[in-house]
Amino acid sequence: MCGIVGYIGYEQAAPFLLGGLEKLEYRGYDSAGICLNDGEKLVVKKSKGKLEELKKLTNNGNDIIGTVGIGHTRWATHGEPSDVNAHPHLSDSCRFAVVHNGIIENYLQLKDMLTAKGVKFRSMTDTEVIAQLIEYYYKGDLVDTVIKVLSKLDGSYALGVISIEDPDEIIAVRKESPLIIGLGENENYIASDVPAILSKTRSIYRLENNEIAILRRDGVKIINTDKDEVTKQVETINWDIDAAEKGGYEHFMFKEIMEQPKAIRDTITPRIKNGRIVLDEIKLTAEQVKSFNKINILACGSAYHVGVVAKYIFEKVLRKPVETDLASEFRYRDPIVDEHTLTIVISQSGETADTKEAMKEAQRRGSHVISIVNVVGSAIASESDDVIYTWAGPEIAVATTKAYSTQLAVIYLMAIYFGDMLGTITPDEYRNYVSELESVPDKITKILEEEEHVQYLASKLFNSRDVFFIGRNIDYALSLEGSLKLKEISYIHSEAYAAGELKHGTISLIEKGTLVIALATHEELIGKIVSNIKEVQARGANVLCLACENHQELKDVAQSTIFIPHSCDMMLPSLAVIPLQLFAYYVASLKGCDIDKPRNLAKSVTVE
Ligand code: G6P
């Protein structure tokens, strides 16, 4: 949420800033702005709405000159989306400009204090207090001033600061919100994420909490709040810019759906050696694993849905009780978690505020935390006890697909690895699971080759007003994700129901023509789900059934069917989710929705 870019060099900054912001659009935003030092003053241009508005306003950046600048895409928290609330924010006398990602929790006290001293505020934002505080405390040294201001702030922030007083530097700092520094030749950059600077450099520093970067044209110095210099490793980005571009596809989401076989292969292959699962990342001994009496899974959104699938899998394979919790609920409910609980935290971005705080809560209570994270070096990855990275590559579309799939793949790896450790699976089962897992990418490729059938069904069904997803057991866990995918990008009302719950309420909503998507991959309960299909059909429902190819008889039961290859129960969600993603994608496309950037949603929810 919110995107930051900054440039200091010898070239005109505005085109780079606009291009960088474009690469950060996936984070979600409702307004955008840039600020440049034109040699005499700080010039700010900002606009509510899409970046196109800002581009028009600045003639694609050509109307605003300067070789030092900062830019921002804002996702409103304090104050409505508007030109005036958009960043960058200037201090009262316009000598200092700030872009900010995060939330300043004590901004009202700070604002009152400054207002009492006669400072005039222009916006409703929490961010503006930072610009005003800098001006208030400035005594000739911007770095000293920023350090002083930081000591006054409670909350989370990634900040970029420029000033007319120190025109040849950008100060950048982070606490809880992500910020990277790009290293170039006679120019340097700041950004919330790598794609923003990849056209310029592959060498970056990832700022840690409370590190302050001082960027000049000829170099970058990192210090801590005591002004001690910090020596950091330069990280080289090894994925290609294409990975952050659409590569010929109309939407990132479609490209990312298509990338899933590779993403899963990249995630599992390095961890299977001679038929054995090797998870060196987990530092727990077998004794420790045996000593856990409960597994606690924490996540938000689709990552939470992975956690719901994991509950079914872990309980079956590991025979340990599993509780999967929404991070936002867990952190405020005085949970029963202690050193005998293993906590697994799942997050694509590694920056989701609720997930991060829930993780810390579990750690405070003595629980060992293993995180499953996609973004290397992100907060959750750094602060968990062990981290297993999903090698999905950058995921740009707001609606997750390949991250979800790679998270599932890690769950399978963990189930087999721990199952072996605990002795709850036999050597035969172990071999069978590993070989099934290795076959998942090819089976997904096969499903993707048949995407036209899903496109055809979407063309028949995209006018549905309400859609109900039903399933039992692991199919219920999957229906949560199928329903979320559809509603988040197509804006069609949809709900997921455990099929056995239908009779307790939802069936009253079924009327002639209501679309019900019945997931029937779970072998043991096919008979039960067929009964549920008949029940909704008797009330007029139009049923689309998703099943394994060995159940062709379902063609005679449902009005439409999608078949997927067979696999072991545990891994079927990885196959079954693919048609559901494609269905949501094609429905949204037929409805003309903004697929990669659905309204009101953000890729990375870094505020509560
Ligand atoms: C947002 C995204 C979802 C994602 C969720 C959790 O809502 O749109 O796709 O599942 O955040 O994000 P995380 O980065 O923690 O997986």
Side-chain angles (χ1 to χ4, degrees):
M1 261 174 193
C2 297
I4 289 178
V5 286
Y7 175 90
I8 181 161
Y10 292 98
E11 291 179 13
Q12 288 303 314
F16 167 77
L17 295 177
L18 291 171
L21 290 179
E22 213 167 336
K23 294 281 186 289
L24 297 177
E25 278 190 297
Y26 72 88
R27 300 173 72 83
Y29 71 105
D30 46 49
S31 53
I34 54 176
C35 173
L36 278 82
N37 182 342
D38 74 358
E40 289 175 5
K41 58 187 179 313
L42 297 179
V43 181
V44 176
K45 295 283 175 197
K46 41 194 197 176
S47 169
K48 183 181 164 188
K50 295 281 175 197
L51 264 176
E52 279 312 308
E53 301 302 322
L54 183 63
K55 286 188 185 165
K56 270 190 234 151
L57 190 69
T58 58
N59 182 22
N60 283 321
N62 294 318
D63 286 355
I64 169 165
I65 61 158
T67 56
V68 180
I70 48 180
H72 189 267
T73 43
R74 173 175 187 250
W75 193 86
T77 57
H78 296 68
E80 57 179 18
S82 68
D83 291 357
V84 73
N85 286 336
H87 301 209
H89 288 286
L90 289 172
S91 63
D92 210 358
S93 69
C94 302
R95 290 183 297 147
F96 303 91
V98 171
V99 284
H100 166 220
N101 173 16
I103 284 186
I104 304 304
E105 286 162 9
N106 59 339
Y107 86 103
L108 274 179
Q109 292 101 293
L110 295 168
K111 194 169 179 174
D112 287 349
M113 182 276 280
L114 290 165
T115 308
K117 310 257 180 212
V119 175
K120 299 265 178 314
F121 280 79
R122 302 179 184 89
S123 77
M124 303 293 293
T125 63
D126 53 340
T127 303
E128 192 181 347
V129 297
I130 304 171
Q132 303 289 18
L133 279 174
I134 292 175
E135 179 162 305
Y136 181 73
Y137 287 117
Y138 185 76
K139 293 214 170 54
D141 185 312
L142 189 56
V143 176
D144 284 346
T145 312
V146 169
I147 292 174
K148 168 109 184 166
V149 169
L150 296 183
S151 71
K152 306 281 171 195
L153 304 179
D154 290 340
S156 59
Y157 43 79
L159 296 175
V161 182
I162 59 172
S163 94
I164 205 73
E165 305 289 344
D166 300 73
D168 297 314
E169 63 188 32
I170 299 179
I171 310 288
V173 57
R174 74 158 272 187
K175 185 180 158 219
E176 307 296 346
S177 301
L179 200 63
I180 60 161
I181 310 296
L183 306 169
E185 285 283 316
N186 293 318
E187 55 183 34
N188 295 297
Y189 330 89
I190 63 172
S192 297
D193 199 0
V194 176
I197 54 156
L198 215 46
S199 63
K200 290 281 194 181
T201 183
R202 291 177 169 278
S203 303
I204 66 158
Y205 289 136
R206 283 184 200 274
L207 279 193
E208 300 292 332
N209 279 345
N210 301 315
E211 286 179 349
I212 301 162
I214 304 155
L215 288 84
R216 297 178 164 271
R217 290 180 175 82
D218 59 358
V220 175
K221 187 172 163 189
I222 314 269
I223 58 170
N224 61 22
T225 45
D226 294 327
K227 290 184 83 175
D228 302 324
E229 191 156 352
V230 177
T231 315
K232 285 187 81 75
Q233 284 280 325
V234 176
E235 182 182 328
T236 306
I237 301 299
N238 54 18
W239 41 268
D240 203 68
I241 185 119
D242 277 358
E245 303 273 1
K246 284 188 202 154
Y249 292 105
E250 201 180 338
H251 297 104
F252 280 115
M253 184 179 175
F254 195 74
K255 174 177 176 260
E256 290 161 5
I257 289 174
M258 291 297 168
E259 283 172 349
Q260 290 180 102
K262 177 178 184 301
I264 294 174
R265 213 171 270 124
D266 289 349
T267 300
I268 61 171
T269 310
R271 292 166 173 137
I272 304 177
K273 295 186 179 125
N274 302 321
R276 303 291 303 169
I277 309 272
V278 182
L279 289 179
D280 288 336
E281 301 97 325
I282 299 179
K283 295 187 279 289
L284 294 167
T285 62
E287 287 320 304
Q288 284 172 300
V289 173
K290 283 177 191 154
S291 76
F292 293 126
N293 53 26
K294 186 174 116 185
I295 299 172
N296 170 39
I297 304 180
L298 305 172
C300 298
S302 295
Y304 166 75
H305 295 160
V306 171
V308 181
V309 174
K311 175 180 167 68
Y312 286 95
I313 294 176
F314 287 160
E315 288 194 339
K316 187 164 183 185
V317 177
L318 307 181
R319 305 309 300 152
K320 293 218 185 242
V322 179
E323 239 183 302
T324 298
D325 243 314
L326 290 163
S328 54
E329 286 297 311
F330 175 88
R331 58 184 288 205
Y332 297 118
R333 75 165 170 82
D334 197 8
I336 302 169
V337 164
D338 58 21
E339 69 275 19
H340 301 298
T341 313
L342 171 64
T343 294
I344 299 172
V345 167
I346 311 173
S347 175
Q348 186 284 128
S349 62
E351 301 287 350
T352 301
D354 279 322
T355 309
K356 194 167 61 183
E357 289 311 315
M359 172 179 84
K360 289 185 191 162
E361 186 58 44
Q363 283 173 321
R364 264 194 294 276
R365 288 165 191 259
S367 182
H368 183 98
V369 174
I370 301 176
S371 66
I372 302 173
V373 174
N374 195 42
V375 177
V376 176
S378 54
I380 291 172
S382 314
E383 291 167 38
S384 53
D385 300 297
D386 301 324
V387 52
I388 304 181
Y389 283 113
T390 49
W391 297 116
E395 192 177 59
I396 310 294
V398 167
T400 180
T401 52
K402 62 176 179 169
Y404 173 91
S405 286
T406 52
Q407 288 161 357
L408 277 183
V410 171
I411 294 298
Y412 308 147
L413 286 168
M414 289 174 91
I416 307 168
Y417 179 78
F418 285 137
D420 181 51
M421 220 173 219
L422 295 169
T424 50
I425 54 175
T426 64
D428 272 356
E429 283 170 330
Y430 187 101
R431 267 190 300 278
N432 184 36
Y433 282 143
V434 172
S435 106
E436 287 284 355
L437 178 54
E438 288 179 309
S439 72
V440 165
D442 286 342
K443 288 180 181 168
I444 293 179
T445 302
K446 193 162 169 256
I447 298 168
L448 290 171
E449 281 164 5
E450 287 164 22
E451 48 112 5
E452 274 180 19
H453 175 58
V454 183
Q455 185 177 16
Y456 165 72
L457 291 174
S459 74
K460 287 204 324 185
L461 301 169
F462 77 98
N463 275 323
S464 304
R465 199 192 51 186
D466 305 290
V467 182
F468 295 94
F469 286 74
I470 59 169
R472 285 170 178 263
N473 196 281
I474 213 158
D475 280 333
Y476 165 59
L478 182 64
S479 70
L480 295 168
E481 179 61 5
S483 167
L484 177 66
K485 259 333 50 116
L486 184 68
K487 79 177 88 166
E488 66 183 343
I489 61 168
S490 75
Y491 314 141
I492 294 178
H493 166 244
S494 92
E495 288 185 45
Y497 265 89
E501 271 292 294
L502 270 175
K503 287 198 205 71
H504 300 290
T506 320
I507 204 153
S508 66
L509 298 172
I510 306 292
E511 51 190 42
K512 193 166 182 318
T514 305
L515 177 59
V516 173
I517 300 188
L519 308 183
T521 71
H522 189 65
E523 189 73 42
E524 286 168 30
L525 295 170
I526 298 266
K528 301 264 180 223
I529 192 83
V530 167
S531 302
N532 296 127
I533 292 174
K534 302 245 190 238
E535 282 158 12
V536 292
Q537 280 175 330
R539 274 98 189 153
N542 180 12
V543 176
L544 164 59
C545 179
L546 175 65
C548 291
E549 61 196 3
N550 54 329
H551 282 285
Q552 295 293 322
E553 74 279 6
L554 289 168
K555 270 189 185 158
D556 302 327
V557 176
Q559 281 92 333
S560 344
T561 40
I562 297 174
F563 290 106
I564 55 168
H566 195 260
S567 177
C568 64
D569 262 7
M570 168 163 60
M571 287 162 209
L572 279 169
S574 285
L575 309 185
V577 77
I578 307 294
L580 301 182
Q581 295 167 344
L582 287 167
F583 184 76
Y585 173 81
Y586 280 120
V587 167
S589 163
L590 288 157
K591 293 189 76 192
C593 300
D594 192 353
I595 293 182
D596 286 336
K597 287 169 260 147
R599 69 183 179 210
N600 306 339
L601 295 181
K603 180 76 185 158
S604 180
V605 182
T606 53
V607 294
E608 198 178 332

